[in-house]
Amino acid sequence: MTNLHRHAPLRVALVGLGTVGGGVIRLLNTNGDLIARRAGCPIQVVAISARDRNKDRGVDLSPYEWVDDMTTLATRDDIDVVVELIGGADGPALTLARQCLAAGKPFVTANKAMLAHHGLDLASRAEKAGVALKYEAAVAGGIPVIKGMREGAAANEISRVYGILNGTCNYILTTMEKEGRGFDEVLKEAQELGYAEADPSFDIDGVDAAHKLTILASLAFGTELDFDHVATTGIRHVIAADIAEAAALGFRIRLVGMAENGPEGLFQRVHPMLVPLDHPLAHVDGSLNAVVAEGNFVGRLFFQGRGAGDGPTASAVVADLIDVARDEYGDALAMPVAALTPQQPADAGQRIGRAYLRFKVQDRPGVLAEIAAATRDAGVSIESMIQRGANQADGVLVAIVTHAGEERCVRETLERLAGSDSLLDTPMVMHILD
């Protein structure tokens, strides 16, 4: 139902006053008149709650009621919708979400971890209560990819959804690419600039991207959320030489989250990949995000924009609030929870594709023959093999690009080489985006 005649303000409780929470207040203050015209009513923050009442957040909080116990917000009659921006898969955020939905109060969140782990439960609660569960800000910041998937592409069967889902990783990889510097140095700089957290593990190990991919896969395929079966590898072992080799071969390295659904099951993976220069993802630089969805009637859809930060993420939060004000919302996961299908995880070993393998090895005769024998015995066909010895005082690098073949053969190659005293480090495998 669309409420075209609403005039009373939409009264918002804002829980969490970090970067995004402050951005929501600034956005509503700056664009309030325009937002009111689009929403059909003013949208007003009336209550706020956060961990530290005295912290300077660079925005005037005096107009808003401070609430120490955020759980009381769920049942207050003078609050129409609660926005949760505190994060965390469990704990206070999940408790608040369940309390709001139980009380029949619309709930807006940017919490991808909570949705990836508990989205089915929350969507079911929202459905039973007949209220909105909105989360545009949880995936790709200011890019309206959730709305695009739930609404714009709703008539299509989606065969594949994939993209660059973490701005921190993309910033690190593209800076390494442009400046030829190593991972550790660029990560330290990203932390100093505020692009990376003091503990960057969730970003650089691919967990953040895996949370987002879980949500996109459910929306794309109508399957149940299944974070536990996202095969996840981050970027901390990508070295400058990998970037250089990829460039020489006509690729750029990007951390790509990819999901496909088919007769063999649901495939979900977050992994550094070699992306051809003629693919749009190869030109997504810096902290930008991008999502590609392939539909059977609409073809390739490409969403790109700023994936994080106060402005883009606040934009997505307020867009959800406008939908709530209009009473424009449907099932949280694009269809009733009962209509979502459980799907077995697909065996990645049966996937066909090319791969890049990089070995750090002893500089001695016979090493290349040992690697070649392992690939031959595992059924891997080598397209090219490059040995780089320069500037590798503690060994040499051997890079291989394979012909298209089953991924299990690449895995078997590494198993055959495991324990070899020729290898000085764990081999790096990156698949090539077709």
Side-chain angles (χ1 to χ4, degrees), residues 47-271:
I48 55 177
S49 182
R51 187 180 304 157
D52 184 355
R53 186 169 187 163
N54 299 313
K55 182 178 179 180
D56 182 7
R57 295 174 169 86
V59 63
D60 181 13
L61 301 178
S62 61
Y64 316 112
E65 176 192 354
W66 184 277
V67 177
D68 288 314
D69 183 2
M70 64 180 181
T71 63
T72 63
L73 299 171
T75 54
R76 281 180 45 169
D77 292 335
D78 61 339
I79 291 171
D80 300 311
V81 55
V82 173
V83 175
E84 178 271 314
L85 301 171
I86 54 178
D90 301 287
L94 181 60
T95 298
L96 180 64
R98 287 172 171 165
Q99 289 173 330
C100 287
L101 297 173
K105 196 176 297 295
F107 191 76
V108 174
T109 182
N111 193 335
K112 61 266 187 182
M114 180 176 70
L115 291 166
H117 288 278
H118 303 289
L120 283 178
D121 171 62
L122 296 178
S124 179
R125 291 169 185 261
E127 187 179 318
K128 290 175 183 176
V131 297
L133 171 62
K134 303 285 286 183
Y135 52 91
E136 185 65 65
V139 180
I143 308 171
V145 65
I146 300 298
K147 187 178 286 286
M149 297 291 290
R150 287 179 70 245
E151 301 174 21
N156 283 257
E157 180 178 353
I158 304 296
S159 59
R160 181 164 68 159
V161 60
Y162 60 101
I164 295 168
L165 304 175
N166 184 272
T168 298
C169 289
N170 209 52
Y171 172 83
I172 291 171
L173 290 173
T174 57
T175 301
M176 291 173 66
E177 175 185 295
K178 292 174 181 176
E179 301 179 9
R181 294 189 286 153
F183 173 83
D184 291 337
E185 181 184 353
V186 176
L187 171 60
K188 182 179 179 181
E189 179 182 272
Q191 290 171 315
E192 293 170 351
L193 293 172
Y195 288 118
E197 301 289 342
D199 179 0
S201 301
F202 255 46
D203 291 320
I204 65 173
D205 290 332
V207 179
D208 174 79
H211 286 147
K212 297 169 183 174
L213 182 68
T214 301
I215 298 167
L216 288 175
S218 178
L219 290 174
F221 310 129
T223 53
E224 293 182 353
L225 295 150
D226 188 12
F227 172 77
D228 291 339
H229 290 104
V230 182
T232 305
T233 303
I235 66 168
R236 67 168 75 231
H237 299 300
V238 176
I239 62 176
D242 294 324
I243 305 278
E245 293 294 352
L249 293 164
F251 299 96
R252 288 177 176 155
I253 297 176
R254 298 288 185 265
L255 183 70
V256 176
M258 178 178 291
E260 295 179 348
N261 192 39
E264 70 283 356
L266 176 62
F267 170 76
Q268 299 178 99
R269 177 160 64 195
V270 172
H271 198 83

Side-chain angles (χ1 to χ4, degrees), residues 17-39:
L17 293 169
T19 300
V20 179
V24 169
I25 291 174
R26 281 188 289 273
L27 176 55
L28 289 172
N29 288 340
T30 302
N31 290 355
D33 290 343
L34 175 64
I35 290 167
R37 287 162 53 202
R38 288 178 172 161

Side-chain angles (χ1 to χ4, degrees), residues 262-293:
E264 70 283 356
L266 176 62
F267 170 76
Q268 299 178 99
R269 177 160 64 195
V270 172
H271 198 83
M273 296 189 75
L274 271 65
V275 179
L277 289 176
D278 62 357
H279 194 286
L281 289 185
H283 305 281
V284 178
D285 292 341
S287 60
L288 294 177
N289 281 195
V291 176
V292 181

